[in-house]
Amino acid sequence: MKFRFRRQGNDPQREKIKQDLFAFNKTVEHGFPNQPSALAYDPKLQLMAIGTKSGAIKVYGSPGVEFTGLHKDTATVTQMHFLHGQGRILSLLDDNTLHLWEIGQREQCSSLEEVCSFTIPCRTAVCASYFSPYSATRVTVLLPKLNCDLLAVGTEGGGVHFLELPSLTLLDKSLFQDEIMQRWEALFVFSLGPVESLQEHPQHPDKILIGYSRGLVVLWDLQTRHVDNLFLGKQQLESLVWERSGNSFVSSHSDGGYMVWSVSSSTPCTNEPVSSTITYGPFPCKAVNKILWRTAESGAPLVLFSGGMPRASYGDRHCLTILQDSQHVTLDFTSRVIDFFTVHCTDAHKFDDPSALVVLLEEELVVIDLQTAGWPTIPAPYLAPLHSSAITCSYHISNVPTKLWERVVSAGQQQGSLQTHTNWPICGGKNLAPDPKQQELMLTGHEDGTVRFWDASGVSLRPLYKLSTANIFQTDCDHNDSLTQAGEEEWPPFRKVGCFDPYSDDPRLGIQKICLCKYSGKLVVAGTAGQVIVLYLSDEKSDHMIDVATVDLLQDREGFTWKGHDRLPPKSGSVVFAPGFQPVVLVQCMPPAAVTAVTLHAEWNLIAFGTSHGFGLFDYHRRSPVLARCTLHPNDSLAMEGPLSRVKSLKKSLRQSFRRIRKSRVSGKKRVQEANAHLAEQDAEVTPVQRRIEPRSADDSLSGVVRCLCFADTFLRDGTHHGPTMWAGTNSGSVYAYALDVPSQEKFSEQSVEALLGKEIQLMHRAPVVSIAVLDGRGNPLPEPYEVSRDLAKAPDMQGSHSVLIASEEQFKVFMLPKVSAKTKFKLTAHEGCRVRKVALVNFSSVASEDYSENGLVCLTNLGDIHVFSIPALRPQVRYDCIRKEDISGIASCVFTKTGQGFYLISPSEYERFSLSARVITEPLCQVRHSERGSGLDGTKITGSSVKNSR
Amino acid sequence: MNRSFNKSQPLRPLELDAVEVKSKYGAEFRRFSVNRVKPGKFEEFFKLIMHIHRIANMEVMIGYADVHGDLLPINNDENFSKAVSTAHPLLRIFIQRQEEVDYSNFGTNTLTRKKKAVVPLRNDLNRKRPHIRIGMPQDFRPVSSIIDVDILPESHRRVRLYRHGSDKPLGFYIRDGTSVRVTPHGLEKVPGIFISRMVPGGLAESTGLLAVNDEVLEVNGIEVSGKTLDQVTDMMIANSHNLIVTVKPVNQRNNVVRSSRISGSSGQSSDSSGSGSFPAITHSPSTATVSHSYAHDDLDSDEESDIVIESSVSRPSRRSNTSHVHLQTSSATPSPPSPPTRPQSRPPSVISTASFHSQPSLNGTAHNSLSYRLHRDLNLQQPHYHSTSTRESNGSLHKILSSLRTDPRNSLALPPGGVEEDGMVITL
């Protein structure tokens, strides 16, 4: 009621200010699309499109040019084709519908809009081969003619239908198998099988090559409705490709081979191919799913095909073979090949001269430079496989100083090997976005112990540098290198390509928390086995020992035995470190439970870290522990289990398998889906879900988990002397505040840091403390370390009384310091029924005026909505729905930037970027120029319907 | 102790308005008298008793035989003055040692509040006493109350559960369900939240004010419609220290019948700034409720005070687990600190006898402040009636009881826009 009261009397002036400060936009998706299913390329516009299983189409051009369209139905995009040069995309979904999309331009934004859709009508009369086991109308292949007026559609029934483009109207000139079989008495088969491939003759637009599954290939003349040539292939057909001249074509087959056929008007019926090769024979091989044949001015043609591996020995590999003369490389990927294309000359040239090969894999995009010897990979400026190892945490740094930025970039450049710096081959469209005003770093921690640094300043998330922490521990994975060395000599000539590696050598290496000081280049990385590593950025190679310290967080607490994993054994000798972040100290918490909170104050040379058992303070300059405090509640038994305990993992795996079952059901047909939904409903009604209403109690499990830590220079002991303090908050609503005695800069080495417990606060509602922040006398957050001493930020008000903002899962409270008397509060859960998941203090600047800005408390709740509150008054300002409440991993992964943007994972491999600020928005602004479109759709063009991915 | 008594006790045994007192402790008798008109304070009387019987420093309980021959406790000014004023002609006092007190005879365990842990009060289930026993205000911690009777539809009930200082679990579960609502377009099924289970012995069950299948309409004044089960759960847990749930009871026969006539006749609407407040009553003697609260508890019971432990001793705390601390509550509220860290300051005296009482003098302001807060947005200024009965007038007690009596006609009436009522919840 108080709440409602407060909201009354909306001040119009305040509303205007709020409009200038806050605006919610989902701006761009970073990373690699989840479950890609189709690939298309327009050589004229130089745009690439990726379709996904969720029905999204994402178009990419030169870096910064990207936009998305989403089908109304969540169905897999099975095929996509650009109508070359027109800015139109045809998509085929697995529900057998065809959709035509147009690239539209609204102000500075390109967008993708669906124009029309089409389903082949199921007329029984059309089903010519009724004895066929295939659905007559199920579309197998599409071929939009190069002049974009006609679309040929091959079906499972073996018929080829023709649609007018761009209206998608069925023309009455379908071609059925009977027609072919009647004309050629030589064909005595019952059915030719589904249409497997349709290829337009490169020289004669009226002729198309039709390949049927059973092996027959015909050259069909659209004008005369006549079969020009007939090729009697005997192997099951997989794909066809023309040679540029049109004098020959290549077919690939299910036995792992490919055949070259010559086309001549003199022999209308060819029985034998010019050549037939099974590259990886003679033992049975898997099918060659797709083959490309590209001529080169320099000599022999390039043959590129996917699959075809010897079934017994390498049947499980995901491979793509590049053959040219004697050169032979088998690209060995870690995930399935979805599709691939080459970037090559399409105009009046005599040769294809492919410059690049673009391979879409299930988990990443790999681009190979075909013009440089050795076919190196080209690093992609976007579509970064964020999930090359599962992301375990994310950390964002706004406004990175140029000095640090350059050093990180140069460290990253020294890491790259077997990569060329050829220009990115897909460079359509024009990026209109202004250069980012400031550099932003995104750090992702991964399960394999790596920390990846990404350039998050703009629309495309670019990898900068990769830090691995595994090399300072003794793990089982060390012999891996020797294995790959031995592989050099083997046949086929495998080459590992791509970086997606879902297998973690040791789950204990996983990164849990990251903290970086952007001014000093100090980095703290904390992991699953209680390891806290302090690193500093060095431009030189180094070979040194790492200091190891162990901090006992149990503090002689009796009756506890750790049943979880062991700590990671550090390497004993000296270790070689490449330029970049190099470890200084390794602190290992005992028991080695996962680190749940970490913070760094580089000016004081202190790190603080917490686990489910307690927290510690460590002086990394003197390499000495300052403080360890146990936060365990005596009744807490779960705290000793550890995250990898058997009980939990069994529970988890069961849950996962159930989820998998559910998922597989959903992907089935719609009717099944509905039936299941109905069933689920009934189930829910039979056993209603109950919730127990019980307040949190002190002996709830895992109450000792340290949730947040913070350093602040403030008033803890009395109102006249401020000094360094450290704050820790736990899962049970306890806050511990320590006054620190930090020696001055010169005396760091002689004098040790002292910590004195100043205050202990027990929040009555006992909800987990999510965040603690100290506000200065003006109610502004305290600046970061070094910002004051280096004149980088306005000095905080040290005259007025400071206050501490404690955000728990249920409410926000501001307490005055040093008395810790409650000043303001907001009970979010009591009012809204939602719980606080993530909070951040954010500076919102106004669009109306350069220098007007307000600090706000941004809060993401378990319902996935975002609230903004004023500080220190804690008045609600705005509320936006952001993430689906079922998307737990999305909510858990959300990070906010200091200027009002945020990121969360929409899939294991993609961040959604959003903006809460009306001023600071990072969105793709781009332009695609396409040729005039045909007039087929005058007046019927659907515009204005914004197609946005609303996940 | 004795000295102070001697100084202050105005004993005038020979005066006419003196009441003769016969005090019995074990086999010993003492006789003395007190002033009927100005009996003085209980504290002084207690000291006198202790002095006379020479049992200082013993933990005893004082009881008296009332006009009906019932043994009733004397432990505060009010019941002391009641005992003296009703003494006819002799005031018979019985002193029992704390540990020997037979609770089945004796209403309540009076002096334990500050001294001893709880002794189960209800070992008298077999010896049913037919009448309502009355306890003393101070001895009870409020556990629940019905509030805002005057502003709610009669089919609704707003229940306040006080969990402060109680070791009892709140003890109920909620679930999703479907309720039927009357709309201008006819009956409409809407999702609702219902109480699904009561934990035996829990606070919710012991109040008797909530029952399985009651529909939850509001939590601390916030409507739950449109909220998910998890949201409502979180809201209830966030408010658990002072939970106010508005329910539509599945059993509509015990509804409070609102009638302003009663309020008028009681003539006690003078300080009505908010709304009436009804203590809970029970429908069976075994489930019991006690209502109302201490003024100070109520003043700010919405305000939970976090505990701040300040380290007075500045010493390096590498082993800070044992560092000296002293307790202080941070905000101005004098409510007791949280259970786990505080010393046993207040034994959880659980009151569950089938008793009912009202205590306007103590709770009036407190309730008003709460209900005022709850309803000022509704801007209700209707004269409220108040449970103004005092112990002196048995009549007013009856009035309240009658006001709480069931009125079947009323319970079946459909309040406009309210919930369709047929006494059962339709769950599919």
Side-chain angles (χ1 to χ4, degrees), chain B residues 177-290:
Chain B
T178 315
S179 99
V180 177
R181 229 160 268 261
V182 182
T183 66
H185 324 289
L187 295 181
E188 197 185 346
K189 277 185 189 174
V190 288
I193 305 287
F194 297 87
I195 293 176
S196 63
R197 212 185 114 192
M198 293 288 196
V199 176
L203 187 59
E205 189 212 46
S206 65
T207 66
L209 298 177
L210 300 172
V212 170
N213 288 337
D214 282 2
E215 184 182 359
V216 178
L217 303 170
E218 287 177 358
V219 176
N220 287 53
I222 294 161
E223 279 191 42
V224 303
S225 72
K227 293 208 156 56
T228 63
L229 184 64
D230 288 329
Q231 273 177 285
V232 178
T233 307
D234 286 339
M235 284 166 71
M236 287 189 170
I237 289 172
N239 286 306
S240 58
H241 60 280
N242 177 31
L243 183 61
I244 301 167
V245 265
T246 310
V247 293
K248 199 204 70 176
V250 65
N251 179 354
Q252 291 277 321
R253 282 173 302 161
N254 294 319
N255 287 346
V256 171
V257 177
R258 186 161 69 233
S259 145
S260 50
R261 272 173 283 117
I262 293 173
S263 154
S265 68
S266 73
Q268 286 286 339
S269 55
S270 52
D271 64 338
S272 59
S273 56
S275 53
S277 160
F278 269 88
I281 69 157
T282 57
H283 30 230
S284 85
S286 62
T287 57
T289 45
V290 174

Side-chain angles (χ1 to χ4, degrees), chain A residues 1 555 626 685 690-691 693-695 755 757 759-764 766 813 825 832-833 835 863, chain B residues 170-174 196 220 230-231 233-235 240 303 305-307 309-311 317-318 340 428:
Chain A
M1 274 124 302
Q555 290 285 291
V626 178
E685 280 159 13
Q690 307 195 96
R691 292 282 184 274
I693 305 301
E694 216 50 76
L757 182 65
K759 299 255 171 18
E760 254 184 83
I761 303 163
Q762 174 62 58
L763 300 177
M764 277 306 274
R766 302 199 158 273
K813 275 188 156 174
K825 71 171 169 192
E832 313 269 310
R835 268 177 289 169
L863 303 180
Chain B
L170 275 175
F172 66 101
Y173 291 71
I174 57 171
S196 63
N220 287 53
D230 288 329
Q231 273 177 285
T233 307
D234 286 339
M235 284 166 71
S240 58
E303 205 66 38
S305 56
D306 306 308
I307 303 163
I309 305 167
E310 213 151 328
S311 299
S317 36
R318 296 243 159 98
L428 302 168

Side-chain angles (χ1 to χ4, degrees), chain A residues 405-473:
Chain A
W405 185 265
E406 283 165 357
R407 292 174 70 194
V408 170
V409 170
S410 95
Q413 276 165 355
Q414 293 174 57
Q415 286 185 323
S417 61
L418 254 182
Q419 289 189 336
T420 59
H421 298 283
T422 323
N423 285 337
W424 181 245
I426 301 160
C427 48
K430 198 175 154 201
N431 183 10
L432 302 175
D435 281 341
K437 288 190 194 74
Q438 44 163 274
Q439 310 284 16
E440 288 177 46
L441 264 182
M442 179 82 161
L443 270 58
T444 52
H446 297 264
E447 204 180 19
D448 62 353
T450 56
V451 177
R452 277 158 220 256
F453 289 62
W454 308 91
D455 174 3
S457 327
V459 167
S460 42
L461 198 67
R462 215 157 42 85
L464 294 179
Y465 170 73
K466 178 179 144 187
L467 163 72
S468 175
T469 61
N471 60 344
I472 64 169
F473 299 105

Side-chain angles (χ1 to χ4, degrees), chain B residues 21-299:
Chain B
V21 181
K22 182 183 172 187
S23 170
K24 181 170 179 273
Y25 171 64
E28 284 181 53
F29 287 96
R30 296 283 190 278
R31 283 174 182 273
F32 55 97
S33 64
V34 293
N35 190 321
R36 185 187 295 272
V37 184
K38 283 194 270 176
K41 301 246 179 248
F42 164 72
E43 193 73 2
E44 291 160 351
F45 178 72
F46 183 71
K47 284 172 187 164
L48 175 67
I49 296 274
M50 303 288 273
H51 178 71
I52 287 173
H53 281 280
R54 301 186 188 284
I55 50 171
N57 306 324
M58 254 167 86
E59 296 194 347
V60 295
M61 297 192 55
I62 300 173
Y64 74 103
D66 79 340
V67 283
H68 310 292
D70 291 332
L71 180 64
L72 294 176
I74 301 181
N75 46 29
N76 59 27
D77 293 348
E78 209 168 320
N79 55 18
F80 171 53
S81 75
K82 175 79 179 169
V84 172
S85 62
T86 57
H88 189 68
L90 183 73
L91 176 61
R92 291 191 293 156
I93 299 284
F94 300 90
I95 303 166
Q96 285 171 288
R97 286 170 67 147
Q98 194 80 48
E99 52 273 28
E100 292 165 356
V101 174
D102 180 0
Y103 293 100
S104 59
N105 290 331
F106 206 63
T108 178
N109 175 359
T110 53
L111 289 173
T112 48
R113 198 161 71 82
K114 285 172 189 155
K115 289 169 187 166
K116 281 193 72 179
V118 72
V119 181
L121 290 170
R122 296 179 46 211
N123 48 8
D124 59 342
L125 282 175
N126 301 328
R127 287 184 258 170
K128 285 244 173 79
R129 294 172 70 94
H131 60 277
I132 298 172
R133 285 176 300 164
I134 299 155
M136 296 306 108
Q138 278 94 328
D139 303 327
F140 297 101
R141 196 177 35 71
V143 289
S144 67
S145 53
I146 300 184
I147 56 173
D148 302 330
V149 179
D150 52 348
I151 57 161
L152 286 176
E154 274 151 6
S155 61
H156 296 182
R157 181 187 294 164
R158 186 167 287 168
V159 177
R160 182 170 173 183
L161 297 174
Y162 305 79
R163 209 196 62 91
H164 248 340
S166 168
D167 287 345
K168 265 195 181 182
L170 275 175
F172 66 101
Y173 291 71
I174 57 171
R175 62 165 170 87
D176 281 318
T178 315
S179 99
V180 177
R181 229 160 268 261
V182 182
T183 66
H185 324 289
L187 295 181
E188 197 185 346
K189 277 185 189 174
V190 288
I193 305 287
F194 297 87
I195 293 176
S196 63
R197 212 185 114 192
M198 293 288 196
V199 176
L203 187 59
E205 189 212 46
S206 65
T207 66
L209 298 177
L210 300 172
V212 170
N213 288 337
D214 282 2
E215 184 182 359
V216 178
L217 303 170
E218 287 177 358
V219 176
N220 287 53
I222 294 161
E223 279 191 42
V224 303
S225 72
K227 293 208 156 56
T228 63
L229 184 64
D230 288 329
Q231 273 177 285
V232 178
T233 307
D234 286 339
M235 284 166 71
M236 287 189 170
I237 289 172
N239 286 306
S240 58
H241 60 280
N242 177 31
L243 183 61
I244 301 167
V245 265
T246 310
V247 293
K248 199 204 70 176
V250 65
N251 179 354
Q252 291 277 321
R253 282 173 302 161
N254 294 319
N255 287 346
V256 171
V257 177
R258 186 161 69 233
S259 145
S260 50
R261 272 173 283 117
I262 293 173
S263 154
S265 68
S266 73
Q268 286 286 339
S269 55
S270 52
D271 64 338
S272 59
S273 56
S275 53
S277 160
F278 269 88
I281 69 157
T282 57
H283 30 230
S284 85
S286 62
T287 57
T289 45
V290 174
S291 72
H292 293 332
S293 55
Y294 301 106
H296 71 85
D297 243 13
D298 228 18
L299 272 174

